[in-house]
Amino acid sequence: AMLILFGVIVVLFLPIILALVASGVDLTALTSASAGPKPDISPAMAGFIGLYGLAWLIFAVFVSVRFSTLLVAVVAAEGGVIAALRRSFVLSRGIAWKLLGVVLLFGLVVGVASIAVTSVFGALFRFLDPTAGPFAIGSIVVAILGGLVTTAYYVVQSSFMAKVYLAATSAREGV
């Protein structure tokens, strides 16, 4: 189900890439780290890319909140793929802004926690062994700690979304 949503969002992003190619922009030059000449894009094409990109971003956030936020809980409880997408959309009606706020808050918390853990322990291990490479014990411990923070985030988020799913289904069924 997530692959379907991802596929739709990627396909809807293609007009931006096609517009850049039609303008003669070298896409490989855009992805390189070297500072080369700026691409020459007409103001009309830049306006199209900007407006379409903004519309695409709003649509991607809408799809993400309405379809995928409760999707894991719906699939776990009810099964199916297409039916789960429809059910997730129905259950998120009326609470989409709250779900967006919770997802953004969770993302902010995990971002700060991850940066804090990796920065503190990374700096500590770098101080203890300044010549250590990427496969040194300190680097591996920092990677494991960062992974533990991310794992804890997914456990908390999944538990919370399961509770939201239960609340939304009981509210829809009038229980």
Side-chain angles (χ1 to χ4, degrees):
M2 287 294 219
L3 287 175
I4 292 170
L5 293 175
F6 180 72
V8 168
I9 288 177
V10 166
V11 166
L12 290 175
F13 190 77
L14 288 177
I16 292 177
I17 295 172
L18 294 175
L20 288 171
V21 169
S23 295
V25 174
D26 182 17
L27 295 179
T28 57
L30 286 178
T31 60
S32 70
S34 64
K38 301 267 188 231
D40 188 27
I41 299 175
S42 70
M45 189 60 76
F48 166 76
I49 291 171
L51 289 175
Y52 188 86
L54 181 63
W56 178 85
L57 180 65
I58 292 168
F59 180 77
V61 169
F62 171 79
V63 165
S64 177
V65 169
R66 290 299 302 269
F67 285 101
S68 67
T69 307
L70 295 174
L71 187 62
V72 173
V74 171
V75 169
E78 301 174 15
V81 175
I82 302 300
L85 286 168
R86 275 190 242 119
R87 181 81 167 140
S88 178
F89 185 80
V90 168
L91 289 175
S92 65
R93 184 178 304 135
I95 59 171
W97 288 108
K98 293 175 187 176
L99 289 174
L100 177 63
V102 166
V103 168
L104 290 175
L105 182 63
F106 277 166
L108 180 67
V109 168
V110 78
V112 169
S114 182
I115 289 171
V117 166
T118 56
S119 296
V120 168
F121 285 101
L124 176 68
F125 286 120
R126 180 60 67 187
F127 178 72
L128 294 175
D129 187 9
T131 62
F135 297 108
I137 281 291
S139 299
I140 293 170
V141 169
V142 169
I144 290 171
L145 291 173
L148 288 174
V149 169
T150 303
T151 301
Y153 160 71
Y154 283 117
V155 169
V156 170
Q157 182 189 27
S158 298
S159 301
F160 182 80
M161 290 307 163
K163 288 186 178 282
V164 171
Y165 165 77
L166 292 174
T169 54
S170 65
R172 295 271 182 242
E173 296 169 358
V175 176

